[in-house]
């Protein structure tokens, strides 16, 4: 597509429920990133995909968080047994990864705002 | 390790004032440096970048110079407009890696 699409744009859920957030990157972009932006906080790195594999999962805050990417395209971030502290905007970004790092520009989606009651 | 530190906000300026948002970094090797901007209700978008020491990135009247000696990449604009009101993020990527490191963001409000 023309840009990075994320869905849903807004999600309100009850504590303890599972949620899935979807990211559809720019066609052909091999790298995909998930970040979390909490109120008053910066961007917290969650996970990075190169193709379908995730060489860096170091940012996932707990084992309730998982992500997958299929077909080198769409990615899903799943949060199980949601807690109130999971409330945040979840941002997805993609990049046409290049050996020359200066060319690796991230294109962000508009984000999925998650509110856990 | 690698990290980015940027000045705390929020910053409030009058229209046509001079803007500086400080950013310093810690990185091994020679990273590329970026400024991203997030307008209200929108996703982050690239504002400008610089890939090596002494490079100057510029866009929309904003400038930032990659200073290796001071490990800085301060964002400047000579005359801000109301439409510049946004959150600005400084970021780096290592030249040997794929990981982007972001600062905490600086909120700018420009009043008429």
């Amino acid at each position: 597509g023309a840009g990075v699409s994320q869905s849903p744009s807004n999600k309100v859920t009850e504590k303890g429920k599972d949620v899935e957030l979807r990211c559809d990157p720019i066609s052909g972009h091999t790298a995909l990133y998930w970040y979390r932006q909490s109120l008053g906080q910066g961007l917290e790195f969650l996970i990075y995909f190169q193709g379908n594999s995730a060489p860096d999962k170091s940012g996932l805050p707990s084992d309730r968080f998982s992500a997958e990417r299929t077909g080198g395209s769409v990615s899903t971030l799943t949060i199980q047994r949601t807690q109130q502290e999971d409330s945040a905007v979840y941002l997805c970004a993609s990049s046409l990864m290049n050996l020359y790092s200066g060319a690796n520009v991230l294109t962000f989606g508009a984000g999925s705002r998650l509110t856990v009651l | 390790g690698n990290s980015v530190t940027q000045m705390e906000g929020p910053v409030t300026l009058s229209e046509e004032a001079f803007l500086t948002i400080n950013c310093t970094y810690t990185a091994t090797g020679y990273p590329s440096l970026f400024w991203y901007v997030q307008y209200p209700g929108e996703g982050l978008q690239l504002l400008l970048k610089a890939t090596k020491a002494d490079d100057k990135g510029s866009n929309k009247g904003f400038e930032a110079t990659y200073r290796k000696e001071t490990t800085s990449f301060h964002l400047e604009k000579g005359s801000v407009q109301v439409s510049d009101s946004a959150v600005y993020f400084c970021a780096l990527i290592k030249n040997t890696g794929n990981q982007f490191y972001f600062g905490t963001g600086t909120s700018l409000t420009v009043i008429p």
Side-chain angles (χ1 to χ4, degrees):
Chain A
V4 177
S5 296
Q6 291 189 245
S7 61
S9 55
N10 274 290
K11 176 71 176 179
V12 180
T13 191
E14 293 179 348
K15 178 181 172 181
K17 300 284 189 183
D18 297 351
V19 296
E20 284 189 352
L21 307 177
R22 175 189 168 105
C23 174
D24 199 343
I26 291 175
S27 178
H29 278 195
T30 55
L32 186 148
Y33 300 77
W34 283 99
Y35 289 88
R36 180 166 70 174
Q37 186 177 25
S38 303
L39 188 62
Q41 303 294 316
L43 291 177
E44 178 186 3
F45 168 76
L46 298 178
I47 189 169
Y48 152 69
F49 287 92
Q50 180 63 34
N52 290 334
S53 64
D56 190 346
K57 303 180 182 180
S58 63
L60 293 177
S62 74
D63 58 7
R64 296 185 296 105
F65 287 73
S66 63
E68 65 175 12
R69 188 181 186 194
T70 55
S73 182
V74 173
S75 175
T76 303
L77 176 69
T78 301
I79 310 172
Q80 296 179 307
R81 306 180 303 281
T82 52
Q83 304 294 312
Q84 288 182 331
E85 61 263 27
D86 300 335
S87 297
V89 176
Y90 290 82
L91 295 171
C92 176
S94 69
S95 174
L96 182 61
M97 198 48 66
N98 193 296
L99 290 177
Y100 172 44
S101 68
N104 295 332
V105 173
L106 289 178
T107 301
F108 281 84
S112 292
R113 180 177 298 278
L114 174 65
T115 303
V116 182
L117 302 176
Chain B
N2 301 288
S3 66
V4 176
T5 303
Q6 59 182 106
M7 67 184 283
E8 298 273 338
V11 174
T12 302
L13 294 174
S14 297
E15 205 165 22
E16 300 183 2
F18 184 85
L19 168 71
T20 300
I21 300 178
N22 290 337
C23 171
T24 57
Y25 67 89
T26 301
T28 54
Y30 302 96
S32 293
L33 302 174
F34 305 82
W35 277 99
Y36 280 81
V37 58
Q38 185 177 31
Y39 297 104
E42 300 183 14
L44 278 77
Q45 54 187 274
L46 178 68
L47 179 59
L48 53 84
K49 68 175 185 178
T51 58
K52 62 182 187 295
D54 299 325
D55 266 4
K56 178 185 284 187
S58 61
N59 186 25
K60 299 182 180 180
F62 290 88
E63 292 183 342
T65 301
Y66 188 162
R67 303 283 187 201
K68 188 172 183 296
E69 64 276 12
T70 54
T71 62
S72 65
F73 193 54
H74 304 322
L75 182 68
E76 297 182 337
K77 186 173 185 181
S79 177
V80 292
Q81 305 300 311
V82 173
S83 57
D84 295 327
S85 297
V87 180
Y88 293 82
F89 292 88
C90 186
L92 70 84
I93 183 173
K94 287 175 59 177
N95 63 338
T96 56
N98 304 319
Q99 174 59 286
F100 286 82
Y101 299 85
F102 284 86
T104 53
T106 302
S107 174
L108 170 68
T109 301
V110 181
I111 54 178

